Amino acid sequence: MSPVYRTHHCNELRASDVGREVKLAGWVNMHRNLGGVVFLDLRDREGLTQVVFRPEDNAELAAEARKLGHEDVIQVTGEVAARIAGMANPNLPTGEIEVIAHELRVLNRAEDLPFEIGGDVKDEDLRLKYRYLDLRRPQLARNLRIRDKVVKAVRDYFHANGFIEVETPILSKSTPEGARDFLVPSRIWPGKFYALPQAPQQYKQLLMVAGVEKYFQIAKAFRDEDLRADRQPEFSQIDVEASFVRPDDILSLTEGMLAAIYRDALGVEIQTPFDRVTYYDAVNTYGSDKPDRRFGMKLVDLTGAFRQSGFKVFRGAIENGGVVKAINAKGFASVTTGQLADLETTAKKFGAKGLATIKAEGSEWKSAITKFLSDSERETLRTQLEIEQGDLILFAADKWDRACEVLGRLRLRVAEMLNLVPPNDVRDFLWVTDFPLLQFDPAEDKWNAVHHPFTRPHAADMQLLDEKKYAAVRAEAYDVVLDGVELGGGSIRIHEPELQAKIFSILGVNEQQQQELFGHMLRAFRTGAPPHGGIAFGLDRIVMLVCGETSIREVMAFPKTNRAQDLMSQSPSPADNRQLRDLGIKLAPERESS
RNA sequence: GGAGCCUUAGCUCAAUUGGUUAGAGCGCUGCCCUGUCACGGCAGAGGUUGCGGGUUCGAGCCCCGUAGGCUCCGCCA
């Protein structure tokens, strides 16, 4: 670094530097004008250093310093001095010393800012509009630094394991499955469009065909869907693919990567290997394929107990091929009417017809359903759910998947109400394995890929595929979950053209479409494609959890709002007519907005 | 596409049941202050209560609409 502007950064000087002539540059963080002597805290990326201007040394300079304001950018030349006895600041790494200024250069004045850099800003709208100021604030500045450490840890880790980073195109081709694509019109080919990649999925598989063997990339991906706290239209993936691998290889590779991330970014050792839970067990026990296991409240199956029940709602659900399940919200008999209404709304939102509950208050069970229950049924409930005084029991009676989902959602809601979710440093990593390969969509009346169409069916389930028992076919797919958040997912892929074509057919992609949309893939698979598989991670989500944040916007430099706008640059914005003409695009009248 | 919450000074918030001139802290401006570190003291400027309409003698507060932000559902292989 050239010493023209500075010789040290603002978190560098210590008592051992006393007597040195130094130059510092940065922002005026705090300004303390005592009438005579002037102190200011100079801030740069690394920290703070106190600078002193003493009128007895240089009255003119002190007068200049008196005129400085917050966030002015200055350069100071001076001598490092020990602070006078008893005046050290133990809260500052540089608190033993100060720089006695000999020279002051104002590099740039700052006008009054829309918010204080050191303050608390609640209005995210305002933060996003002035994102470059928001990023000066300690929290976001820290998040940027942590993100950099995570990215570096990832690159170091994969390089150390023989992976090479390969970039893939941003201008690529639209595919029928999955999210809505962002389209980019082609000028050279009027009427034709590129699509921005939802993931580098096809390219990375083609890199395996190319013999790259071990590929990774920190890749941008784009999905034109509605946003959430953990979803942005444009986001980053850690994309990984390797040849001649089995699921275990990818799982342990991932565990090593996450361990390296936590070690390098936080200095924390995480426990590996992670637990593995099948998709069935995860849903059956926690009502979710990304379970948060940091609190209990497991789903208990009561189907056996109610098969012959006098309570028609439960018996009827079972006779229709469903199940009866319940969770015990320990100590929540104190639930308020409002909370109970909230829980019932939640249950109905996810397809329950109603919400049966039991409040175990004193020796009494307060419930609308207990009068339908036999003594032995009550006893079974008591033992299986381990009901004690003060507990609240929530039931679901429905088809297995719906009952599980309803209770899974209730479980999360109750955990929130009871503050059961532990702090961020209690980490629960786990694998969810053996996902179903296919899922029937009644709305479209067709089978869809749960993961994506290149996912390999379990070898043991190939026969079920031929027997068209599609719902029972398991995939060689896996998700890694941390504290109820899906960090990433992947699979072993199909490398045989015949099997791939068969899967496409089941998904309703006819032969002509297969050739048009995936012809290059099928052809590539006929040229000596090695067995391969991989995984992709949501980098933003990983960084979010490492930083202890609850929104990925807090770990992205320039995120967009809920409605996909950049409030700083005001994108998206209208295109002028000339641009549109070049692209051969005419707007439909109703879409011509401001 | 749907549901909920929020919007008062530059920022963070307050304002009794609908009742006089909408307040405070920080920031900003001016003056004072020579060892502070969230420096201190005195004085001051700063408001179309997001916007539009309605009810009312009277609306920051009640009603309707609308804009924006956020959270969630749908959606996101």
Side-chain angles (χ1 to χ4, degrees):
Chain A
M1 194 88 54
S2 152
V4 170
Y5 282 110
R6 55 184 172 187
T7 57
H8 298 76
H9 63 67
C10 289
N11 196 18
E12 196 168 0
L13 298 168
R14 297 291 183 270
S16 57
D17 296 303
V18 166
R20 265 206 163 128
E21 184 79 2
V22 298
K23 279 190 205 173
L24 298 177
W27 289 260
V28 176
N29 197 57
M30 193 65 74
H31 187 248
R32 291 180 292 278
N33 173 8
L34 274 65
V37 67
V38 177
F39 297 97
L40 53 90
D41 293 337
L42 191 63
R43 183 192 77 235
D44 68 10
R45 204 179 78 174
E46 304 298 331
L48 295 175
T49 300
Q50 173 165 286
V51 180
V52 200
F53 296 83
R54 286 192 295 216
E56 63 267 36
D57 296 345
N58 187 335
E60 209 175 305
L61 198 63
E64 278 303 305
R66 217 160 275 139
K67 293 184 204 152
L68 292 172
H70 281 135
E71 300 302 309
D72 286 340
V73 181
I74 61 169
Q75 180 202 37
V76 169
T77 308
E79 184 187 329
V80 181
R83 295 203 188 178
I84 63 176
M87 287 297 156
N89 183 349
N91 301 319
L92 227 51
T94 59
E96 302 259 307
I97 58 96
E98 60 197 2
V99 171
I100 299 169
H102 301 152
E103 221 182 295
L104 169 67
R105 248 176 91 199
V106 178
L107 301 175
N108 215 342
R109 293 272 182 190
E111 61 183 40
D112 289 347
L113 305 183
F115 52 80
E116 293 165 55
I117 301 302
D120 191 18
V121 194
K122 294 287 170 59
D123 186 352
E124 194 167 349
D125 194 336
L126 191 74
R127 293 177 53 202
L128 290 172
K129 187 168 174 189
Y130 300 98
R131 189 62 164 181
Y132 43 88
L133 294 180
D134 199 22
L135 291 169
R136 279 189 204 168
R137 299 164 63 237
Q139 182 80 3
L140 286 202
R142 179 201 74 137
N143 291 354
L144 285 184
R145 298 297 289 270
I146 292 177
R147 185 176 180 125
D148 171 66
K149 285 185 182 175
V150 169
V151 167
K152 181 172 189 313
V154 167
R155 289 208 162 100
D156 288 349
Y157 176 79
F158 282 111
H159 286 143
N161 283 280
F163 284 72
I164 64 173
E165 183 161 12
V166 182
E167 290 169 277
T168 54
I170 293 294
L171 297 177
S172 55
K173 181 167 172 162
S174 184
T175 51
E177 296 242 351
R180 203 173 288 119
D181 287 316
F182 280 99
L183 291 179
V184 179
S186 164
R187 175 184 58 82
I188 296 172
W189 297 92
K192 293 190 176 178
F193 297 83
Y194 302 96
L196 304 184
Q198 299 173 25
Q201 183 60 35
Q202 295 189 28
Y203 291 111
K204 71 174 173 176
Q205 289 191 244
L206 293 166
L207 286 171
M208 294 303 103
V209 179
V212 168
E213 293 197 25
K214 292 177 171 188
Y215 145 92
F216 85 103
Q217 182 186 189
I218 293 182
K220 280 276 179 140
F222 306 85
R223 294 177 188 174
D224 188 6
E225 295 292 347
D226 287 349
L227 308 183
R228 290 283 191 285
D230 62 353
R231 282 171 15 196
Q232 283 273 304
E234 168 179 6
F235 60 103
S236 297
Q237 289 190 338
I238 304 167
D239 197 42
V240 183
E241 195 79 4
S243 297
F244 311 113
V245 290
R246 295 295 303 148
D248 279 0
D249 300 309
I250 301 295
L251 268 49
S252 58
L253 185 74
T254 295
E255 288 161 355
M257 179 196 80
L258 287 167
I261 286 172
Y262 275 84
R263 192 180 304 125
D264 292 1
L266 288 185
V268 166
E269 287 301 324
I270 61 173
Q271 204 67 41
T272 59
F274 306 154
D275 283 355
R276 298 185 190 181
V277 180
T278 63
Y279 169 86
Y280 176 85
D281 285 342
V283 172
N284 198 46
T285 312
Y286 297 99
S288 170
D289 63 358
K290 45 184 167 91
D292 189 340
R293 304 188 303 174
R294 291 173 300 165
F295 47 90
M297 231 191 307
K298 292 182 184 178
L299 278 54
V300 175
D301 191 281
L302 302 161
T303 309
F306 289 108
R307 202 173 291 282
Q308 312 292 335
S309 179
F311 184 35
K312 280 187 200 143
V313 174
F314 285 2
R315 198 187 64 219
I318 297 167
E319 282 168 355
N320 281 322
V323 297
V324 176
K325 295 172 87 79
I327 53 174
N328 183 349
K330 279 279 169 203
F332 201 28
S334 57
V335 63
T336 65
T337 311
Q339 286 172 321
L340 213 48
D342 181 314
L343 292 172
E344 188 172 348
T345 306
T346 301
K348 284 182 173 165
K349 195 153 73 180
F350 293 98
K353 289 165 203 80
L355 179 60
T357 62
I358 294 174
K359 281 195 238 181
E361 280 178 337
S363 55
E364 285 287 297
W365 281 9
K366 287 180 83 173
S367 168
I369 69 163
T370 38
K371 60 176 178 259
F372 301 111
L373 303 182
S374 69
D375 287 348
S376 78
E377 282 168 345
R378 285 160 164 258
E379 194 47 38
T380 309
L381 287 182
R382 187 186 304 281
T383 51
Q384 293 217 35
L385 285 161
E386 297 173 3
I387 301 176
E388 296 171 302
Q389 272 191 32
D391 291 352
L392 173 71
I393 311 301
L394 304 168
F395 290 91
D398 214 315
K399 294 277 190 286
W400 176 78
D401 46 0
R402 179 169 292 172
C404 291
E405 164 145 47
V406 166
L407 287 179
R409 298 284 183 160
L410 289 173
R411 179 177 173 270
L412 292 178
R413 195 83 191 91
V414 168
E416 219 175 290
M417 289 173 175
L418 289 176
N419 256 324
L420 296 179
V421 184
N424 187 257
D425 57 352
V426 179
R427 298 188 185 86
D428 179 46
F429 290 93
L430 76 142
W431 286 105
V432 178
T433 64
D434 295 322
F435 279 81
L437 185 74
L438 301 160
Q439 188 174 38
F440 190 72
D441 178 1
E444 287 182 89
D445 190 35
K446 68 184 278 283
W447 289 88
N448 286 329
V450 169
H451 190 48
H452 57 54
F454 311 106
T455 305
R456 183 171 200 81
H458 246 284
D461 295 348
M462 288 294 182
Q463 193 168 346
L464 296 169
L465 209 55
D466 294 328
E467 293 166 8
K468 298 194 191 318
K469 292 177 179 166
Y470 297 139
V473 179
R474 291 166 300 164
E476 284 196 330
Y478 29 79
D479 278 2
V480 61
V481 175
L482 170 56
D483 300 344
V485 178
E486 181 194 328
L487 295 185
S491 62
I492 302 299
R493 325 296 185 189
I494 297 165
H495 61 275
E496 309 93 320
E498 304 77 24
L499 181 57
Q500 186 65 70
K502 185 194 283 186
I503 297 290
F504 279 141
S505 308
I506 293 168
L507 295 173
V509 185
N510 68 36
E511 260 176 56
Q512 191 195 333
Q513 292 168 315
Q514 286 179 35
Q515 283 313 314
E516 275 171 24
L517 299 165
F518 302 107
H520 56 291
M521 296 289 287
L522 295 169
R523 200 167 316 118
F525 290 161
R526 288 196 297 268
T527 63
H532 60 284
I535 191 164
F537 306 91
L539 173 63
D540 311 284
R541 285 184 191 175
I542 291 175
V543 178
M544 173 183 88
L545 289 166
V546 168
C547 290
E549 297 284 2
T550 52
S551 162
I552 60 171
R553 292 188 301 275
E554 299 298 311
V555 300
M556 300 176 92
F558 298 104
K560 293 184 175 58
T561 68
N562 246 344
R563 301 209 311 154
Q565 265 193 310
D566 177 348
L567 295 179
M568 189 181 66
S569 69
Q570 292 294 323
S571 77
S573 54
D576 66 45
N577 284 330
R578 194 210 152 113
Q579 282 178 308
L580 292 176
R581 203 168 48 236
D582 279 352
L583 295 166
I585 288 178
K586 203 173 213 166
L587 296 182
E590 68 271 22
R591 294 298 170 89
E592 273 178 42
S593 59
S594 53

